[in-house]
Amino acid sequence: MLFPLKAFILFGVLIVYAQCDTHEETTISVATLLAEPFVMLRDDTTLTGNERFEGYIIDLLDLIGKKLGFKYEVHLVPDNRYGHLVDGEWNGIIGQVRSGRAQIGAAPITITSEREAAADFTIPFMSLGISILYKRPSDGKALPFTNVEELAALETTKFGCKSGGSTLQFFARSDNPTYKQIYERMIKAEPSTLVQTNDEGIERVKAEDYAFFMESNTLDYIVQRDCDLQQVGGLLNSLGYGLVVEEGSPMRVKLSAAIIELQQSGDLVSLKEKWWLKRNGEKCHQ
């Protein structure tokens, strides 16, 4: 369990509050950002408000809103960040929630100890880990590496991750010698191997001899749609995505209770299948 004390308190009061008054007739402000397939813009540019968006997170908010009796209004965070402490101030979704500009942060935002110290998270609505995205060899050639240890030992293959995100923090705080070696190479690389977005990392994988560390759920979505890419090795850690609320907010317990109900009903599995399975039914070659 990621954060035992807070988790213990949360589960201790879930039953008490699960049937409490909801936010009926209330419109909740929700901060999010664009991240396929979690939150995406619809093709119809004439749409306004929440109708502009679709994706896993939007469907999740719809289900939770119906259970708890609230409406919501989505807005995109201006800096397109999940939340990182910079010069004593939190940016991104965490900053929006802490400042009161949003009552809920809803995105594929990883629960970390640093973020948990700045805001409260619900129980995870999705589990994941960090893995490696790499191009699929052509003409039957063998992969230059099959796991993270072999990748770290290579001098020619570059590797990186998103700058300022939870993946980079994982490597920075790890006591594992291999992960520490990977972190040192990433931050010292010239030119930099760190990127600003997942899309930038994916493009580098396609264009260079470059491996990209990213969260497994997004990686899985990508490789199902691009047969030139693949996951290499297993998961390096175990993480979770949660909804974010202001520290001490009573909404945390109610939102967590709703997530538990959606887990038990199978709705979360159905949502994952809806947005992850390749819609044309084609499968990549093995």
Side-chain angles (χ1 to χ4, degrees), residues 121-240:
F121 282 81
T122 63
I123 65 168
F125 59 81
M126 185 178 287
S127 298
L128 64 143
I130 296 170
S131 193
I132 306 169
L133 181 72
Y134 193 66
K135 68 183 68 175
R136 192 180 295 274
S138 58
D139 303 322
K141 294 180 180 179
L143 279 169
F145 63 95
T146 60
N147 56 49
V148 67
E149 289 80 13
E150 292 178 2
L151 173 60
L154 292 175
E155 296 183 359
T156 55
T157 301
K158 300 176 183 178
F159 48 77
C161 65
K162 282 178 62 177
S163 175
S166 60
T167 299
L168 185 61
Q169 291 178 13
F170 163 74
F171 286 109
R173 288 165 171 75
S174 177
D175 292 327
N176 182 298
T178 298
Y179 299 165
K180 291 174 69 173
Q181 177 187 355
I182 286 172
Y183 175 73
E184 290 296 325
R185 281 182 57 182
M186 287 194 297
I187 62 170
K188 293 179 179 178
E190 291 290 346
S192 177
T193 59
L194 301 178
V195 299
Q196 297 301 311
T197 66
N198 281 336
D199 287 343
E200 184 183 346
I202 294 165
E203 289 306 312
R204 290 193 67 168
V205 171
K206 293 179 179 180
E208 309 172 26
D209 184 13
Y210 178 85
F212 186 51
F213 291 103
M214 65 187 305
E215 292 172 348
S216 58
N217 284 322
T218 303
L219 190 156
D220 183 48
Y221 178 82
I222 292 165
V223 299
Q224 288 196 51
R225 285 156 178 77
D226 192 331
C227 293
D228 293 328
L229 302 175
Q230 64 177 323
Q231 176 180 333
V232 179
L235 303 184
L236 308 187
N237 61 352
S238 179
L239 302 168

Side-chain angles (χ1 to χ4, degrees), residues 53-108:
F53 305 103
E54 64 176 347
Y56 178 98
I57 289 292
I58 304 302
D59 285 355
L60 177 65
L61 289 170
D62 286 343
L63 290 173
I64 292 176
K66 288 176 182 177
K67 284 189 174 294
L68 299 183
F70 66 75
K71 297 179 180 179
Y72 67 93
E73 182 176 342
V74 171
H75 70 269
L76 299 176
V77 292
D79 59 6
N80 198 43
R81 296 284 185 176
Y82 292 101
H84 185 60
L85 191 61
V86 180
D87 297 329
E89 296 291 333
W90 281 91
N91 61 17
I93 290 174
I94 299 293
Q96 291 276 305
V97 172
R98 282 176 58 85
S99 68
R101 290 189 290 272
Q103 293 163 279
I104 298 175

Side-chain angles (χ1 to χ4, degrees), residues 10-63:
L10 172 61
F11 283 101
V13 295
L14 272 176
I15 296 176
V16 176
Y17 283 99
Q19 302 300 323
C20 286
D21 292 338
T22 66
H23 293 82
E24 192 169 1
E25 304 301 329
T26 298
T27 299
I28 303 295
S29 175
V30 178
T32 190
L33 48 71
L34 297 178
E36 190 175 0
F38 294 94
V39 181
M40 301 175 287
L41 288 172
R42 295 182 185 271
D43 293 334
D44 189 346
T45 57
T46 65
L47 297 174
T48 60
N50 293 347
E51 294 300 317
R52 294 174 295 160
F53 305 103
E54 64 176 347
Y56 178 98
I57 289 292
I58 304 302
D59 285 355
L60 177 65
L61 289 170
D62 286 343
L63 290 173

